[in-house]
Amino acid sequence: MIYLDNAATTIRKPQTVIDAVASAMCSMGNAGRGVNDASLGAARTIYEAREKLARLFHAEQPKQIAFTSNSTESLNIAVKGTLVPGDHVITTALEHNSVLRPLYELEKTGVELTILDSDRLGRINYEDFHQEIRENTKAIVCTHGSNLTGNLIDIRRVGQIAAKRGLLLIVDASQTAGVFPIDVQKMHIDILCFTGHKGLLGPQGTGGLYVRPGLAVRPFKSGGSGVQTYSKSHPAEMPTALEAGTLNGHGIAGLSAAADYLLETGIDAVRIREQELMDRFYKGVRDIPGVTVYGDFTSMERCAIVTLNIGDYDSSEVSDELLMTYGISTRSGGHCAPLMHQALGTAEQGAVRFSFSHYNTEEEVDIAIRAVRELAPEE
Amino acid sequence: MMRKKELKLVLTFHTTADAMAMEKACKEQNAPGRLIPVPRAISAGCGLAWCAGLDTRHILKQLMDRVGIEEQDMHECMI
């Protein structure tokens, strides 16, 4: 199998990640529950993971990193834990349903929602933020990178707008964490939501969020915390405030090893390699007659994603053909990004997404190029 | 070139869990078919569908009734 669906999840993980999960499953107690070697070992492992992620994201303190099971959970906590009826929030057409659906849900309760359009290349106009800010605007929620086109949003620029206007900035870093430099302080990010199983190279079922010191986020669950047992309310301090119940310690042990790998390898090296492979694929397919590539390729400083269609073929048929005939795994359909597809004009056809990992090879890319060429209708 | 299309039976499901139950049941009972992405002729959204020959309708329906799998829809389309 040639796996080119790394934007869905990176299938190959460093061996150290696998070893760390296996080791944790042989030895890990419940962090913060009891004081014994096993529970303390778990607590240390999880704290170290916080430290490493805080380093990766330039957070002020490790305790500002709370663990969840994925970006969707983090985004739900961030959005539902900061907005109340009467607030206005701005988001973009680039968003995944994990941003859009919680916002639509809140809209029904009286939160006002503005969604910034994108152009046919999937780019937003940053001036639109200024134009849409109202007196009651509370937050901007936006992705760092589109899961459909791979286009980036300049978070530093959005952060400057948010900071200047006193708005919260909630960022969905699902496609960029572990690959692109993120400095929550310099980018004025108030809440950063990430998943562990994509660019961070950790296990599925891991994720989390950074919350700026001093910002209170209403948790949507309460319960066991390992501290303040006789209090009727869940502790309000980070990270415990957002971590009721036993964490996925085994997974977090893997995520911690993955963070080690990234810190040692360097995210720049990982990103440059991914982008080289993306560039090779893009240049190999863009001129094939009948192939339409979506997104903004004026710069290669983008997520390692190339999304395309071949003629008017159903994207699910093309994806199936790539799998059955060539053994190439891609993703077709809507990618949980309905507004982006509408902007690109692909709502009906869907699109076939090729997404690359630094573990992919030139040979795999060349086979994928050849496959696209062979599937394209003869003129 | 893409493969030549044939008219096939395509079953969609309410959830991925239902689609997986279908695959498991079919494998266990040697029933025909395989999972494919939902074709756009059926839905523009994502998801898994069970694709099999047209003549399998009765066998699959019986199997699903027996193991308690409910399809969302049953289509005939060119695959």
Side-chain angles (χ1 to χ4, degrees), chain A residues 16 34 38 56 58 62-64 75 78 120 124-125 145 149 162 166 170 190 222 227 241 294 299-300 314 351:
Chain A
T16 49
L56 266 177
H58 300 272
K63 70 175 188 178
Q64 297 311 122
L75 285 160
R120 294 278 290 190
I124 57 164
N125 179 353
T149 63
I170 299 170
D190 295 286
S222 57
V227 293
Y294 303 97
S299 160
M300 283 299 140
D314 180 347

Side-chain angles (χ1 to χ4, degrees), chain A residues 4-292:
Chain A
L4 299 179
D5 197 13
N6 293 283
T9 193
T10 48
I11 202 163
R12 185 166 165 200
K13 314 291 184 185
Q15 186 58 43
T16 49
V17 173
I18 298 159
D19 294 343
V21 175
S23 169
M25 292 195 76
C26 295
S27 62
M28 189 177 251
N30 194 339
R33 273 65 165 176
V35 180
N36 55 65
D37 288 349
S39 72
L40 286 174
R44 288 180 192 119
T45 298
I46 290 170
Y47 187 74
E48 281 172 16
R50 288 191 216 284
E51 285 183 315
K52 292 167 197 171
L53 289 164
R55 265 179 69 196
L56 266 177
F57 301 138
H58 300 272
E60 294 85 348
Q61 300 166 44
K63 70 175 188 178
Q64 297 311 122
I65 304 287
F67 289 110
T68 62
S69 53
N70 49 45
S71 274
T72 298
E73 187 180 345
S74 301
L75 285 160
N76 271 268
I77 292 171
V79 166
K80 294 173 182 171
T82 54
L83 298 170
V84 294
D87 287 341
H88 172 237
V89 58
I90 301 172
T91 191
T92 80
L94 276 69
E95 307 307 318
H96 187 275
N97 270 339
S98 54
V99 168
L100 295 173
R101 284 177 172 167
L103 289 175
Y104 291 143
E105 211 179 301
L106 287 181
E107 198 177 20
K108 286 184 191 162
T109 71
V111 170
E112 297 167 26
L113 173 62
T114 297
I115 301 173
L116 303 187
D117 289 334
S118 81
D119 63 15
R120 294 278 290 190
L121 290 180
R123 299 174 300 193
I124 57 164
N125 179 353
Y126 293 89
E127 290 306 310
D128 289 348
F129 283 109
H130 291 290
Q131 298 203 351
E132 295 296 343
I133 292 170
R134 306 174 190 166
E135 241 177 39
N136 61 336
T137 304
K138 174 86 169 281
I140 294 171
V141 187
C142 81
T143 187
H144 190 189
S146 162
N147 72 310
L148 178 55
T149 63
N151 288 0
L152 292 180
I153 285 183
D154 184 348
I155 292 297
R156 192 177 291 251
R157 189 168 171 188
V158 180
Q160 283 166 354
I161 298 168
K164 195 172 168 192
R165 304 295 292 266
L167 309 180
L168 293 178
L169 175 59
I170 299 170
V171 174
D172 172 7
S174 300
Q175 298 299 335
T176 56
V179 182
F180 285 84
I182 295 175
D183 185 323
V184 290
Q185 297 183 70
K186 285 188 180 153
M187 291 171 154
H188 302 286
I189 296 171
D190 295 286
I191 304 179
L192 180 81
C193 300
F194 59 92
T195 193
H197 69 99
K198 295 187 178 184
L200 282 170
L201 302 173
Q204 295 178 7
T206 61
L209 66 171
Y210 154 84
V211 178
R212 172 176 54 76
L215 175 62
V217 178
R218 290 184 305 280
F220 68 73
K221 59 180 179 178
S222 57
S225 59
V227 293
Q228 301 176 28
T229 292
Y230 294 98
S231 168
K232 287 187 176 176
S233 52
H234 193 80
E237 296 79 19
M238 280 287 289
T240 312
L242 303 180
E243 290 181 345
T246 298
L247 289 172
N248 175 8
H250 302 134
I252 293 168
L255 183 58
S256 182
D260 280 334
Y261 172 85
L262 289 168
L263 288 164
E264 283 160 20
T265 309
I267 63 169
D268 291 343
V270 169
R271 183 178 68 260
I272 288 166
R273 176 68 182 147
E274 286 184 2
Q275 289 172 333
E276 282 171 358
L277 295 169
M278 168 191 64
D279 189 41
R280 186 182 183 94
F281 182 75
Y282 171 68
K283 286 178 175 154
V285 298
R286 67 178 171 183
D287 296 325
I288 297 174
V291 169
T292 306

